[in-house]
Amino acid sequence: MIQHNDDGLVKHLAKKGIDDKMVFGHPAGLLVLFFTEMWERFSYYGMRALLTVFLVSEIAKGGWGWNNEEAMSLYKWYTSLVYFTPLIGGIIADKLTGYKKAILIGALTMTLGHASMALEGISDNFFYLGLALMVLGNGMFKPNISSMVGQLYPDSSSKKDAGYTIFYMGINAGSFLGSLLCGYIGETVGWHYGFGLAGVFMFFGMLQFYFGQRIFGVIGDKPSNKIPVEAKEVEEAVEEEVIPKNVVRDRLIVAGVLMVASILFFFAFEQAGGSMTIFAKDYTQRILSGTAATSFKWIDAILTILPIVIVTYVLFSLARKVINKHPMTILFTMLSFAFVAYLGFWKVDREFNSINTEVTVSWFQILNAFFIVTFASLFSKIWEKVWNPSGPIKFAIGLLFVALGFIALAYGSREIPNGALTASVSMLWLVLAYFFHTMGELCLSPVGLSYVSKLSPKSLVGLIFGFWFLATAIANYLAGWLGGSIDKIAEEYSISVFFLIVASLPIAVALLLMLFNPLLKRMMHGIK
């Protein structure tokens, strides 16, 4: 792979005391964060893939037997609080702990949360305690690891957007593997095994980050009013460029506009864990036979093994560069990934030897992550070398894609009669919807993280990232609120109308962003 030198990036790494080893043309520290976030997302999405299905599954099957509205009520509160607490976690890290310590505290708290959820068979209270610990731990972890990614690069670096997209591939590699393995084990072996497995890898992620902290230099250290005097480079590292107040104000306004747009995107996108899960469970043909069953087994095997191969290549690329300086980080990452690879091959073997073929409900949630892992590098290269439109235009494209996914679902479900409790719609419509949603996510979410970093003053970056996740919290609450109405809307109108309602709002916001794009570009004052 040809690596292009970026003099600004090289100088930035030297100033911050960051390890200057490069992997794929990016700082090696990016891939340490890649794997840390991958295991955290493994734990989160592994649990989320099971949450709604567990709540609505029959008591005889080990579930809680809740109705859709009750399940969506808990889902909206949990997912919204998961994205609300980063607002507090960002403040704590900025003012007290620093990013590194906040990440470790969050990872440990989430590990304990998963352990508690694994004990749900003993008492329901363990389940609720686990959810609470997950919410608190995520608040400390989520905004601060994203902030560290942004600070690996100077704002002027052309590699920053590409770096966030690579980081986002790590997020979705974890999402894919977590949904695949925790979802499968939870639905076919036992719910508590699925919940517990998610915590095992959160623990591994915490260890590999702990032993790799030195690779980040002064980034993420505990804040201090005193400037270190160990070296001139470190002194320069804590200095911040003085930006005129009107420029700061305009940039923060643009960041606010993008956050509002993200609410409408994630309002639609986060139906994946709610109404789309219900659609997969009750309205999708998941029992396969004959050629369809054989084809699915092969497709599932490829979807399981290919991402494991891709991420293994990334892991060994990192190991070659940093194993001498950071052996424990590489050791724990390799051990955890060897375990994942074993589980993946075990799952494939088990399915090929099974008589009946039933697609699990949680299986559909791997599609988004699989498409991300497959297409993230392509989008990274497009933004870096082919076409790099403004942030508002990228957001608008993302909104149109997510709307297109729901239009596909509306068309696929058009023949389901009003009030029908079950149906057998082809699973291809869900696959197509997840594909369009993923294309939209690649246009908006990693780009959104990058723009929040670039538009925010350095002294407030953790807090502003917290507001970004607060916007996502609002979106998740609204997504769960509307998802809880799926039965009512389907009975009075149709489930097709429900999906059209979801699609309409992102389209409206996309058109507004295109209209005001020239003004928003001027207010960014050179940020690209």
Side-chain angles (χ1 to χ4, degrees), residues 146 164 167-168 171 445-453 465 468-469:
S146 299
Y164 266 108
F167 175 71
Y168 212 69
I171 291 176
S445 200
V447 171
L449 291 173
S450 179
Y451 270 91
V452 167
S453 174
F465 266 111
W468 169 264
F469 293 114

Side-chain angles (χ1 to χ4, degrees), residues 91-226:
I91 297 173
I92 292 173
D94 279 341
K95 305 300 182 184
L96 298 174
T97 64
Y99 301 142
K100 292 174 183 174
K101 188 174 290 185
I103 290 168
L104 291 170
I105 292 170
L108 177 60
T109 305
M110 287 187 284
T111 299
L112 295 174
H114 285 295
S116 182
M117 291 183 71
L119 301 176
E120 56 82 22
I122 298 175
S123 170
D124 293 355
N125 292 328
F126 281 113
F127 183 81
Y128 293 117
L129 174 62
L131 289 178
L133 290 172
M134 288 288 294
V135 166
L136 295 174
N138 188 79
M140 292 296 289
F141 186 99
K142 189 66 176 172
N144 300 308
I145 195 166
S146 299
S147 299
M148 287 190 69
V149 174
Q151 294 195 23
L152 288 175
Y153 301 86
D155 287 343
S156 59
S157 176
S158 62
K159 292 181 178 291
K160 192 166 190 174
D161 279 6
Y164 266 108
T165 301
I166 292 171
F167 175 71
Y168 212 69
M169 188 172 73
I171 291 176
N172 285 276
S175 169
F176 174 89
L177 294 169
S179 299
L180 179 77
L181 297 176
C182 296
Y184 180 82
I185 290 172
E187 287 191 59
T188 63
V189 180
W191 302 108
H192 54 285
Y193 289 111
F195 292 136
L197 182 65
V200 170
F201 290 100
M202 184 69 262
F203 182 66
F204 276 124
M206 178 184 70
L207 291 177
Q208 69 98 23
F209 179 80
Y210 174 79
F211 287 108
Q213 292 179 77
R214 289 184 294 111
I215 203 171
F216 301 107
V218 299
I219 289 179
D221 286 348
K222 185 176 180 179
S224 174
N225 293 327
K226 295 182 180 180

Side-chain angles (χ1 to χ4, degrees), residues 24-62:
F24 306 138
H26 292 268
L30 174 67
L31 292 187
V32 174
L33 296 175
F34 172 104
F35 283 108
T36 304
E37 179 71 352
M38 188 182 82
W39 294 131
E40 187 275 330
R41 290 292 87 183
F42 181 103
S43 72
Y44 174 77
Y45 281 101
M47 188 281 292
R48 197 195 75 164
L50 291 173
L51 181 59
T52 300
V53 189
F54 167 71
L55 293 173
V56 302
S57 291
E58 297 85 346
I59 295 175
K61 295 182 179 180

Side-chain angles (χ1 to χ4, degrees), residues 125-408:
N125 292 328
F126 281 113
F127 183 81
Y128 293 117
L129 174 62
L131 289 178
L133 290 172
M134 288 288 294
V135 166
L136 295 174
N138 188 79
M140 292 296 289
F141 186 99
K142 189 66 176 172
N144 300 308
I145 195 166
S146 299
S147 299
M148 287 190 69
V149 174
Q151 294 195 23
L152 288 175
Y153 301 86
D155 287 343
S156 59
S157 176
S158 62
K159 292 181 178 291
K160 192 166 190 174
D161 279 6
Y164 266 108
T165 301
I166 292 171
F167 175 71
Y168 212 69
M169 188 172 73
I171 291 176
N172 285 276
S175 169
F176 174 89
L177 294 169
S179 299
L180 179 77
L181 297 176
C182 296
Y184 180 82
I185 290 172
E187 287 191 59
T188 63
V189 180
W191 302 108
H192 54 285
Y193 289 111
F195 292 136
L197 182 65
V200 170
F201 290 100
M202 184 69 262
F203 182 66
F204 276 124
M206 178 184 70
L207 291 177
Q208 69 98 23
F209 179 80
Y210 174 79
F211 287 108
Q213 292 179 77
R214 289 184 294 111
I215 203 171
F216 301 107
V218 299
I219 289 179
D221 286 348
K222 185 176 180 179
S224 174
N225 293 327
K226 295 182 180 180
I227 298 177
V229 294
E230 298 174 0
K232 182 178 180 181
E233 289 80 9
V234 177
E235 181 176 352
E236 292 174 353
V238 297
E239 294 178 358
E240 182 179 345
E241 177 187 358
V242 177
I243 303 173
K245 290 184 178 180
N246 67 304
V247 174
V248 173
R249 180 200 62 212
D250 286 353
R251 288 176 176 176
L252 288 176
I253 290 173
V254 175
V257 170
L258 297 180
M259 288 179 193
V260 172
S262 76
I263 291 176
L264 275 299
F265 177 85
F266 287 108
F267 154 80
F269 183 84
E270 290 296 340
Q271 297 296 326
S275 63
M276 290 175 70
T277 294
I278 293 170
F279 184 78
K281 180 178 181 294
D282 296 334
Y283 297 98
T284 302
Q285 176 61 39
R286 295 186 292 108
I287 299 176
L288 307 177
S289 60
T291 304
T294 303
S295 299
F296 173 77
K297 288 179 179 180
W298 279 105
I299 292 171
D300 181 55
I302 294 170
L303 288 177
T304 302
I305 294 170
L306 183 58
I308 291 176
V309 172
I310 292 172
V311 180
T312 299
Y313 172 69
V314 175
L315 172 57
F316 278 95
S317 298
L318 173 64
R320 285 197 300 268
K321 296 288 186 177
V322 304
I323 192 168
N324 291 331
K325 287 187 177 181
H326 310 281
M328 296 302 292
T329 290
I330 298 301
L331 173 64
F332 282 111
T333 306
M334 285 186 169
L335 283 175
S336 56
F337 210 74
F339 187 25
V340 161
Y342 168 77
L343 290 175
F345 283 103
W346 166 81
K347 171 186 174 294
V348 170
D349 179 71
R350 190 172 190 259
E351 282 300 297
F352 269 104
N353 288 299
S354 64
I355 298 174
N356 300 317
T357 302
E358 180 176 357
V359 182
T360 59
V361 176
S362 58
W363 182 86
F364 293 96
Q365 293 193 43
I366 76 170
L367 294 172
N368 166 250
F370 174 76
F371 290 136
I372 289 278
V373 172
T374 304
F375 291 102
S377 294
L378 174 62
F379 273 76
S380 176
K381 294 302 179 184
I382 289 174
W383 301 147
E384 190 174 354
K385 296 182 178 180
V386 180
W387 182 51
N388 191 25
S390 68
I393 293 298
K394 291 176 183 176
F395 269 58
I397 296 170
L399 286 159
L400 292 175
F401 268 125
V402 78
L404 190 57
F406 282 104
I407 291 172

Side-chain angles (χ1 to χ4, degrees), residues 44 48 68-84 262-275 468-485 498 505:
Y44 174 77
R48 197 195 75 164
N68 290 338
E69 187 173 2
E70 290 170 336
M72 288 297 93
S73 179
L74 179 60
Y75 176 82
K76 75 182 179 186
W77 280 111
Y78 170 68
T79 56
S80 60
L81 287 172
V82 157
Y83 286 98
F84 171 75
S262 76
I263 291 176
L264 275 299
F265 177 85
F266 287 108
F267 154 80
F269 183 84
E270 290 296 340
Q271 297 296 326
S275 63
W468 169 264
F469 293 114
L470 176 60
T472 310
I474 295 170
N476 274 268
Y477 184 88
L478 294 174
W481 169 76
L482 183 61
S485 304
F498 173 84
L505 294 174

